Amino acid sequence: MHDKKIAIIGLGYVGLPLAAAFATKFKVIGFDINSKRVDELKKGVDDTLEVSEDQLKSVLVNDFDKKGLSLTDNLQDIADAQIYIVTVPTPIDKHKIPDLTPLYKASESVGKVLKKGDIVIYESTVFPGATEEECVPILERTSGLKFNKDFYAGYSPERINPGDKEHTVTKILKVTSGSTPEIAEEIDQLYKSIITAGTHKASSIKVAEAAKVIENSQRDINIAFVNELSKIFRLLDIDTLEVLEAAGTKWNFLPFRPGLVGGHCIGIDPYYLAHKAKEYDYNPEIILAGRRLNDSMGQFVAQETVKMMLKKGLNVKDANVLVLGITFKENCPDIRNSRAIDVVRELQDYQMHVDVFDPWASPEEVKEEYDLDLISDIKNIDKKYDAVLAVVAHNEFKNLDLKKYTHDKALIYDVKGIYPKEQSDLRL
């Protein structure tokens, strides 16, 4: 098996860690259409911070026929691989409908170099049936080969948790599947060779696809529940985090906390399952209700900010507000589908002047994605804010003395509960 050459299609948060892991035992070619990304990786620089410079340089090679990781943006460089693993993003469009464009394009690219006996494995999050109903026909049409006769397919859902340095790719149990029993076993053994946590071979590709899409849907619903509790307890003048702490003393209580739900998984995957359900004339009420509630939290945070400012006698219009955090989660540079932007936009709608500071986010990416100019260094701030909102729990924020940036009557809203209760006016 170790004489197989593996091509990883897409070198982002999922593809690069996977490529680096496989490269310790296989000949691996990492392919990405972003030539800038490829050039940076060749220098050992990963701006997603998922793979360290030392780890990356330890597996990099400049020879496509040697064990290790070689990198390219040239499709022909992956033409002699036997296994293709697709790890491209699967976003939603502005109507919250699955956008499979990256998956379609990746399938077309693989189809152009596909040969008899090759295996194509998808890791991108999709709805059940997408691999065989959406991707395989593209592979057949582009390659001229016949599925399960000339080439084979598999699905092994990614479980990368951006920013998590404990649960890395090899330490997370991997679900695998294949288009025939023999291929399913080969794919399972392939992943077993690098996944120290072990594997679970699903009975079919559809089962593996469904397993992935419900993982994050389940988390989304659970977070929606505690977000709704937060809204209720605010009306009852009860501290939500204190309630959760008390309830958490029961052995089987699930420790979810309220917050903004974004990112490329939890805030998106439920729409993939809902989309497929609607094709069968079923309206997934709980899944979509959870999505609606979680998507409303940015507006809720902003409205609660306004209410408390008015109670404190602060002017809302032209108020100066500092928002701490723009990434979708703590200690991670990923700004995709960040819901912190909802808070910023809502505050701006109240005609407030909003500054944003985030030491993890790329100023260039934030400018391009959200048209926001980040504060480069919080130490250089020389004005006093009317309100500070900590919306992301970066470690760098936990020791900030917020009094340095506020006047005496200013509002402190600790959305993530990272400060002692007495240091803030509001907690979610």
Side-chain angles (χ1 to χ4, degrees):
M1 176 186 293
H2 289 95
D3 60 345
K4 298 269 188 179
K5 183 178 290 188
I6 302 171
I8 307 290
I9 317 301
L11 298 174
Y13 282 87
V14 176
L16 182 65
L18 186 69
F22 271 123
T24 61
K25 296 187 176 182
F26 294 86
K27 301 171 187 175
V28 180
I29 307 172
F31 172 81
D32 201 293
I33 59 174
N34 185 339
S35 57
K36 179 183 176 184
R37 169 77 169 156
V38 172
D39 289 341
E40 289 177 346
L41 292 177
K42 285 181 178 179
K43 298 173 184 175
V45 178
D46 170 29
D47 60 11
T48 70
L49 306 181
E50 290 301 304
V51 178
S52 69
E53 183 175 352
D54 289 343
Q55 182 186 359
L56 189 53
K57 287 185 175 179
S58 70
V59 294
L60 282 175
V61 294
N62 292 319
D63 190 333
F64 296 119
D65 293 316
K66 285 186 177 180
K67 186 186 83 171
L69 176 60
S70 52
L71 302 165
T72 186
D73 58 359
N74 184 347
L75 186 62
Q76 289 308 308
D77 289 335
I78 66 172
D80 60 346
Q82 295 86 43
I83 296 172
Y84 296 90
I85 303 179
V86 178
T87 62
V88 297
T90 42
I92 54 175
D93 65 18
K94 63 181 181 180
H95 304 294
K96 304 188 186 305
I97 296 173
D99 179 6
L100 296 179
T101 303
L103 205 59
Y104 292 156
K105 290 184 177 179
S107 298
E108 288 176 358
S109 295
V110 172
K112 291 176 182 178
V113 294
L114 201 60
K115 308 169 299 301
K116 285 191 176 183
D118 288 351
I119 301 173
V120 185
I121 305 168
Y122 290 88
E123 290 214 0
S124 307
T125 301
V126 291
F127 47 75
T131 298
E132 293 157 296
E133 297 165 13
E134 302 284 342
C135 300
V136 164
I138 295 173
L139 294 172
E140 286 188 312
R141 184 177 65 251
T142 310
S143 68
L145 301 175
K146 187 68 176 175
F147 179 50
N148 277 344
K149 178 184 176 184
D150 299 321
F151 74 94
Y152 305 89
Y155 184 78
S156 181
E158 61 88 5
R159 281 177 166 171
I160 293 291
N161 184 25
D164 190 336
K165 301 309 177 186
E166 180 181 351
H167 302 98
T168 51
V169 63
T170 61
K171 298 176 184 177
I172 304 172
L173 195 142
K174 201 87 162 69
V175 174
T176 67
S177 65
S179 55
T180 70
E182 296 77 18
I183 293 300
E185 178 61 22
E186 183 173 342
I187 290 173
D188 192 61
Q189 291 300 321
L190 175 72
Y191 281 101
K192 256 183 187 167
S193 69
I194 63 163
I195 305 295
T196 56
T199 62
H200 173 89
K201 186 169 64 173
S203 61
S204 69
I205 288 176
K206 282 186 178 180
V207 167
E209 291 169 325
K212 168 57 183 176
V213 82
I214 71 165
E215 290 174 14
N216 286 319
S217 297
Q218 182 186 68
R219 282 187 58 79
D220 194 44
I221 291 168
N222 280 316
I223 297 171
F225 173 62
V226 294
N227 274 336
E228 186 161 60
L229 292 180
S230 177
K231 291 184 176 184
I232 294 171
F233 293 147
R234 179 63 51 76
L235 296 173
L236 302 178
D237 195 27
I238 300 173
D239 188 282
T240 304
L241 297 185
E242 291 182 359
V243 174
L244 294 176
E245 182 181 1
T249 59
K250 189 167 187 251
W251 75 92
N252 61 352
F253 186 81
L254 301 177
F256 288 91
R257 291 175 64 137
L260 304 173
V261 184
H264 194 66
C265 293
I266 299 179
I268 290 178
D269 293 359
Y271 289 117
Y272 273 74
L273 185 55
H275 172 78
K276 194 63 176 180
K278 289 178 179 179
E279 281 188 10
Y280 288 80
D281 297 322
Y282 181 83
N283 184 47
E285 298 179 36
I286 293 177
I287 293 172
L288 291 180
R291 278 282 75 235
R292 285 192 296 272
L293 196 143
N294 283 337
D295 277 347
S296 74
M297 292 308 292
Q299 183 182 43
F300 175 75
V301 167
Q303 290 172 349
E304 291 297 295
T305 300
V306 171
K307 289 178 185 177
M308 184 56 74
M309 288 179 70
L310 292 174
K311 286 180 181 179
K312 291 173 73 72
L314 296 167
N315 290 326
V316 172
K317 184 179 179 182
D318 293 325
N320 291 311
V321 179
L322 175 63
V323 172
L324 298 175
I326 195 65
T327 62
F328 92 89
K329 63 177 289 189
E330 66 276 4
N331 307 322
C332 169
D334 195 349
I335 65 168
R336 293 176 299 172
N337 194 38
S338 171
R339 301 279 46 97
I341 191 64
D342 296 344
V343 178
V344 174
R345 297 297 186 224
E346 191 75 12
L347 294 175
Q348 290 174 333
D349 284 346
Y350 283 102
Q351 299 183 47
M352 299 186 191
H353 305 295
V354 183
D355 291 335
V356 180
F357 173 66
D358 193 318
W360 282 83
S362 162
E364 295 77 20
E365 288 184 13
V366 173
K367 181 65 176 178
E368 181 178 349
E369 184 74 17
Y370 302 122
D371 195 26
L372 280 178
D373 294 307
L374 293 181
I375 293 175
S376 59
D377 189 346
I378 198 168
K379 295 177 182 178
N380 295 333
I381 293 176
D382 57 2
K383 62 182 173 183
K384 298 294 185 180
Y385 289 99
D386 301 295
V388 175
L389 284 71
V391 301
V392 183
H394 292 319
N395 288 338
E396 289 85 347
F397 296 158
K398 296 178 180 179
N399 295 320
L400 282 181
D401 182 5
L402 300 184
K403 291 182 180 179
K404 291 175 58 178
Y405 312 107
T406 56
H407 56 71
D408 291 341
K409 291 176 62 179
L411 164 69
I412 305 297
Y413 194 164
D414 184 7
V415 175
K416 293 294 293 182
I418 60 178
Y419 303 110
K421 182 182 178 181
E422 61 274 9
Q423 292 184 15
S424 61
D425 300 284
L426 285 173
R427 298 201 296 182
L428 192 57

